[in-house]
Amino acid sequence: MVFLAALPISTAFANVMLLILALTALLQGKSMRHTIVKRLQTKFAVVAVLFAAWNALSLLWSQDVAAGIEGLKAQRLLLLPLFWPPGESTNWRFGLLLGTALAGAASVLASAGLVLPGVEVFDGRVVPFQHPIVLGVLCAAGLVLALDAWSICSPRYRLTIAAAVVLTLFALLLSGSRTGLLATLTALPISLVMLHRRVRIAALAGIALAVPIGLWQHDILEDRWSDAWQELGQWRESPESSVGWRVAALDAAWRVGIQRPWVGQGYGGVRSAVPVDHPVRAQSERFSSEHEGPLNLHNSWANAFARTGVVGVLLLMGFCGGAASVILRPESIHQSSGLGLLAVWGVLGLFDAGLGTGVTLAILALAVAGRERLK
């Protein structure tokens, strides 16, 4: 739970807690080691291993191995389902909701004028601890988990969950994250369809709570979305803009990928393969030799094609299908939150790198953790 709570607050601390989680699992004795072996024998584990292995193998033909290794580090989060505590305990999952609530509390205090370390305030937006996109999708994941928590908890805990939801909504709306809002609007209905009526009523109450916060941030949210539409229509003239660059990156992914369509340019090799006159180079800092990690084309599928070719795209499709099958199996627990978290990660993958950071990949790992069929 501490690991998940740390994700919205401190990436470094979350990495330490993940290591502690793995060591604790390995030291639990024969029964846990037996569980880990069984988990490695599942179909999803096999697909995940093939997917990660192909990504690593692409370093052999990459032009920038160091950047590729940096990009592959995030995939360590695929180990989370392996070391997830056995049994049907659900309390662990809700640590993320605690973390987003803490981020929301920091947002409220910062908007009130209190100066807090790690909290940025700019253009009317308040972004605590993480990049706005990362914070936004973590908040969306937290809200999905809140529905799950509400459906199973006793009445005495519901006031605590409601407070956490309010603070998470503050963090989401004050950040102005468009991707976070889209992920929330996509994932919550998917989760609600699989929950019973009283949870849907509670969700309507939560929406009512979000209205005054949204009205408070109305001008900023309206400006953000109007800018997005304008940038989309002018991406060729202004590829340095946020949305314009993402559209240009999709075009760059195609041009780079078709140079080596089956295997791609390798992890780390995309940056040097982009034509020198391509509009995507309008953000020149992304092509600096001092820039760490591989070039992020802000779309998981575009990244997969450019880096690892058609083979990588097919493996990514199998990876996503395997995750969905784990969640949808008849005996899977908490299918609503599993599908909701998968939807959050899927929306993120359309506008940023769902596989690019350990924090964002943790959303997918949490979606499948503890749900697999054990032989």
Side-chain angles (χ1 to χ4, degrees), residues 21-351:
L21 175 65
L23 292 175
T24 302
L26 292 173
L27 294 174
Q28 282 184 0
K30 185 177 180 180
S31 61
M32 184 61 193
R33 290 194 292 271
H34 185 61
T35 298
I36 292 174
V37 171
K38 285 186 175 180
R39 287 173 173 171
L40 285 171
Q41 296 172 350
T42 61
K43 293 180 180 179
F44 173 72
V46 173
V47 175
V49 168
L50 289 174
F51 173 70
W54 178 252
N55 290 337
L57 188 65
S58 73
L59 292 174
L60 294 177
W61 54 87
S62 171
Q63 296 297 314
D64 190 345
V65 175
I69 292 174
E70 186 68 26
L72 288 170
K73 287 180 180 179
Q75 296 180 26
R76 67 188 182 278
L77 264 295
L78 293 176
L79 296 173
L80 179 60
L82 193 64
F83 298 115
W84 189 264
E88 296 192 358
S89 173
T90 59
N91 293 334
W92 282 71
R93 303 181 190 279
F94 306 129
L96 181 58
L97 178 59
L98 172 61
T100 56
L102 292 173
S107 296
V108 173
L109 292 174
S111 64
L114 186 64
V115 178
L116 297 173
V119 180
E120 297 184 11
V121 181
F122 56 94
D123 297 332
R125 302 165 62 191
V126 183
V127 185
F129 312 123
Q130 292 284 5
H131 188 280
I133 293 178
V134 174
L135 177 64
V137 294
L138 287 176
C139 288
L143 292 172
V144 166
L145 289 169
L147 292 177
D148 202 354
W150 188 276
S151 69
I152 64 172
C153 74
S154 59
R156 62 177 178 170
Y157 291 115
R158 286 181 179 164
L159 182 60
T160 302
I161 294 172
V165 166
V166 171
L167 290 172
T168 299
L169 285 170
F170 269 109
L172 173 62
L173 295 175
L174 289 175
S175 72
S177 171
R178 294 177 296 222
T179 303
L181 285 172
L182 282 175
T184 302
L185 294 173
T186 302
L188 288 185
I190 292 174
S191 294
L192 283 172
V193 166
M194 306 191 69
L195 292 170
H196 43 75
R197 183 171 176 271
R198 62 188 178 92
V199 180
R200 295 174 189 170
I201 295 173
L204 291 175
I207 294 172
L209 288 172
V211 170
I213 305 174
L215 291 175
W216 178 29
Q217 290 291 99
H218 174 266
D219 291 341
I220 294 173
L221 293 174
E222 185 180 31
D223 289 344
R224 292 276 294 157
W225 285 99
S226 62
D227 288 347
W229 285 113
Q230 184 177 0
E231 291 171 5
L232 179 62
Q234 300 176 353
W235 75 270
R236 291 185 183 276
E237 296 80 10
S238 304
E240 72 281 355
S241 65
S242 176
V243 176
W245 193 88
R246 283 169 167 80
V247 178
L250 293 176
D251 181 73
W254 173 254
R255 296 196 183 191
V256 169
I258 59 174
Q259 295 175 22
R260 305 178 70 176
W262 290 107
V263 298
Q265 299 292 335
Y267 256 69
V270 174
R271 183 179 284 111
S272 60
V274 175
V276 294
D277 59 344
H278 195 278
V280 80
R281 288 186 177 269
Q283 293 189 5
S284 57
E285 67 277 4
R286 296 179 183 271
F287 294 86
S288 170
S289 59
E290 299 178 357
H291 196 284
E292 295 183 357
L295 178 65
N296 174 18
L297 298 173
H298 282 252
N299 182 290
S300 294
W301 302 95
N303 279 331
F305 180 59
R307 294 172 181 173
T308 55
V310 173
V311 175
V313 172
L314 292 175
L315 285 172
L316 179 57
M317 292 173 62
F319 180 69
C320 295
S325 67
V326 168
I327 298 168
L328 290 173
R329 63 189 175 91
E331 64 271 33
S332 176
I333 60 173
H334 307 299
Q335 290 182 335
S336 61
S337 65
L339 286 176
L341 291 169
L342 189 59
V344 169
W345 185 79
V347 171
L348 170 66
L350 295 177
F351 302 100

